[in-house]
Amino acid sequence: SVVRGYNAKHLKEAGVIVHTVRREWLELGLTKAETYAGNTIRIYDKERCICDIIKRKKQMDIQIFQMAITAYFADKDKNIHKLMGYAKTMKLEERVRQYAEVLL
């Protein structure tokens, strides 16, 4: 993910799938993880990923979408409060609430 307006031509030419986001959403849910090789990378937490998945539902394979949403709501470590906070910031609150009501 890059900020809207960022010139990502070189990334696209290298085969990277680039998603653009609003500047105020770039750091939302950002955390760090370690790769198997021991490198530290920046990733989004699962609540932010669920918001992104719901936002881009029409651009996704429906089976992947359903699997991700079902797995998140079945996860005992989910954080609904955080998810709804992100959804409010990203103006997805009603869409996320609909999935939460059905799957919880």
Side-chain angles (χ1 to χ4, degrees):
S1 295
V2 297
V3 174
R4 286 185 183 159
Y6 179 80
N7 183 1
K9 183 180 177 182
H10 65 287
L11 295 172
K12 291 176 183 176
E13 288 173 351
V16 175
I17 298 171
V18 178
H19 296 281
T20 57
V21 295
R22 294 180 181 181
R23 184 169 301 281
E24 61 269 20
W25 297 354
L26 190 63
E27 301 285 324
L28 186 67
L30 198 61
T31 188
K32 293 181 180 179
E34 193 170 299
T35 66
Y36 294 114
N39 299 312
T40 301
I41 57 172
R42 295 167 29 129
I43 61 168
Y44 288 118
D45 62 17
K46 59 186 164 187
E47 286 75 20
R48 168 59 190 270
C49 289
I50 292 299
C51 286
D52 285 337
I53 286 167
I54 291 172
K55 184 166 185 60
R56 294 183 177 96
K57 178 182 179 182
K58 292 180 182 177
Q59 300 164 348
M60 295 189 69
D61 180 281
I62 192 66
Q63 289 179 322
I64 293 172
F65 176 84
Q66 289 174 340
M67 185 177 64
I69 297 298
T70 304
Y72 175 77
F73 284 101
D75 187 353
K76 61 184 168 196
D77 294 326
K78 64 187 169 289
N79 186 333
I80 299 297
H81 182 70
K82 186 190 292 188
L83 176 68
M84 294 309 294
Y86 292 169
K88 185 174 182 175
T89 300
M90 297 174 75
K91 299 181 180 14
L92 297 169
E93 201 168 10
E94 186 57 36
R95 289 167 62 186
V96 172
R97 188 180 322 278
Q98 289 173 349
Y99 289 105
E101 287 175 356
V102 171
L103 295 169
L104 286 179

